Amino acid sequence: GRARAIRNIQGSSTSLRMARGGTFWLWPLVVAGLLAQCRGKGKGGNGQYPPGINQTNAWTEPAWALLSDSLAQGNALKTSPAHYPHATVDILLALARIVTRAEATRLRVLVVPSITPWVEAALRFHGFPSTVTVDYNPPDTTHLPASARVQSIGVQELRNSRQRFDLVVSFSGIEHDGLGRYGDPINRDGDLLAMKEIEKLLLPGGRVLLGIPVYNRDEVCGRKHRIYGPRRFAALLQAGDFLCEGYAWNNWSTGCDQAFRPHVLDTYQWRRKRYLHHGMTDEQKAFALSTACIHWSHQPVFSLRRLRRQKEPKRN
């Protein structure tokens, strides 16, 4: 049953070879119009889609059944995007640490946003009664089964509704904000502004599950994405007034600073082949090898808790 499935998930391991993809957090104040272009990102391949799911059938009943059945059978690896084969496992590990199934039935959760409903399926598997997915171009969820209980909403509609949530899930998103890769305005602090917007969507004491690429130092990889070292990660926390409670990567750790140690060497070898091609000069190759853009090794899921802001005492 479910208990056995969770045990199987927690015991899963795999050779991890990670690149870009997954869900994206992109807010209008930060990167206007980005998500409209993001949906074309996967046309060149299926890196952002779990096996058996593609851009045309992602939000259909068969796709949802594939995700749900795989989770029920303890095969969370099968539901993760191909570029992030361990992502669902890590999200479920993080969820198990911060909220019980009984508690989840009373909580409101937002996914910002999804190209495919792999995060939504994982949340439903954990016990959340429904999910809200926000996007500039909201996915058509009318073909999902009623039991999925996924509400699709546009960005402006969400802002006008003034809804607040107990949990926000963002995987592989804010590292792109403000870099202009998808036509968004250039803003060196676009990721920090995104964290401030996420904080506004949370109820007091609310949490964020945040999946970002990390290494032992900060790096901006041109217009592709950021790599987060301890310093920039601390700036993310400060921007949204968050406390890091721990992170999931194969297992659970409460020492958030440990996430920035370089490891998982097989990803380095794969990324070396991806970044170093025959057209590069020796000087270009040497520069590429000196940056964290080729060395970053994993993308953990951090659990962040919104701190309750202290009210200023009234003055006489």
Side-chain angles (χ1 to χ4, degrees):
R2 183 178 298 272
R4 177 178 59 81
I6 292 176
R7 286 196 299 270
N8 290 341
I9 290 168
Q10 293 177 334
S12 298
S13 62
T14 186
S15 174
L16 304 175
R17 298 186 175 184
M18 297 190 142
R20 57 188 174 83
T23 59
F24 294 83
W25 165 254
L26 302 162
W27 196 252
L29 296 179
V30 183
V31 284
L34 175 55
L35 288 177
Q37 300 183 44
C38 252
R39 289 202 170 277
K41 185 179 177 186
K43 291 182 179 179
N46 292 321
Q48 298 181 65
Y49 305 98
I53 297 177
N54 56 50
Q55 192 172 24
T56 59
N57 74 351
W59 298 85
T60 61
E61 186 168 354
W64 183 267
L66 177 62
L67 294 169
S68 300
D69 291 346
S70 296
L71 287 166
Q73 295 166 9
N75 192 2
L77 295 175
K78 189 176 180 180
T79 71
S80 300
H83 280 165
Y84 296 93
H86 215 253
T88 304
V89 175
D90 293 329
I91 284 180
L92 290 173
L93 285 172
L95 285 172
R97 287 288 178 163
I98 66 174
V99 58
T100 67
R101 176 172 171 78
E103 291 170 337
T105 61
R106 304 188 298 269
L107 302 181
R108 291 176 51 79
V109 60
L110 176 71
V111 181
V112 285
S114 287
I115 290 180
T116 67
W118 65 275
V119 173
E120 289 82 351
L123 291 166
R124 290 287 287 130
F125 174 77
H126 189 71
F128 288 90
S130 61
T131 60
V132 178
T133 296
V134 62
D135 200 330
Y136 278 106
N137 295 315
D140 181 5
T141 60
T142 58
H143 301 291
L144 292 177
S147 58
R149 301 190 66 181
V150 176
Q151 177 190 359
S152 176
I153 188 171
V155 171
Q156 192 59 47
E157 183 182 356
L158 177 64
R159 297 181 69 191
N160 294 339
S161 70
R162 297 186 178 182
Q163 295 185 67
R164 295 296 179 267
F165 300 88
D166 300 283
L167 175 66
V168 173
V169 181
S170 172
F171 189 92
S172 187
I174 68 166
E175 66 265 29
H176 302 282
D177 284 3
L179 298 182
R181 180 178 179 180
Y182 302 106
D184 49 307
I186 301 298
N187 188 325
R188 60 181 297 178
D189 292 330
D191 55 338
L192 305 185
L193 293 175
M195 291 299 290
K196 291 180 180 179
E197 294 296 338
I198 290 178
E199 191 263 347
K200 295 176 182 178
L201 291 169
L202 287 171
L203 293 165
R207 286 184 168 92
V208 177
L209 293 187
L210 180 68
I212 52 175
V214 300
Y215 193 57
N216 62 357
R217 64 179 184 269
D218 301 324
E219 194 81 51
V220 179
C221 306
R223 298 179 64 185
K224 291 180 177 294
H225 55 81
R226 297 176 183 85
I227 306 296
Y228 290 89
R231 181 176 298 180
R232 190 66 174 183
F233 181 71
L236 287 180
L237 299 182
Q238 185 176 10
D241 195 25
F242 291 112
L243 172 70
C244 184
E245 298 179 307
Y247 70 95
W249 176 255
N250 276 333
N251 208 331
W252 177 259
S253 174
T254 56
C256 293
D257 58 323
Q258 300 299 308
F260 304 96
R261 294 183 303 174
H263 56 288
V264 194
L265 297 179
D266 65 316
T267 60
Y268 164 73
Q269 296 299 331
W270 178 84
R271 195 163 290 102
R272 178 187 175 95
K273 294 178 182 179
R274 178 170 179 256
Y275 275 80
L276 302 183
H277 52 80
H278 297 296
M280 297 178 72
T281 65
D282 291 341
E283 184 177 359
Q284 289 173 328
K285 291 180 180 180
F287 174 77
L289 288 172
S290 70
T291 69
C293 301
I294 193 172
H295 288 284
W296 70 274
S297 57
H298 65 309
Q299 184 148 324
V301 176
F302 292 96
S303 173
L304 313 180
R305 179 167 58 85
R306 179 190 178 191
L307 298 174
R308 293 180 180 270
R309 298 182 184 272
Q310 297 294 326
K311 294 183 180 180
E312 295 183 1
K314 294 182 178 180
R315 296 181 180 180
N316 294 331

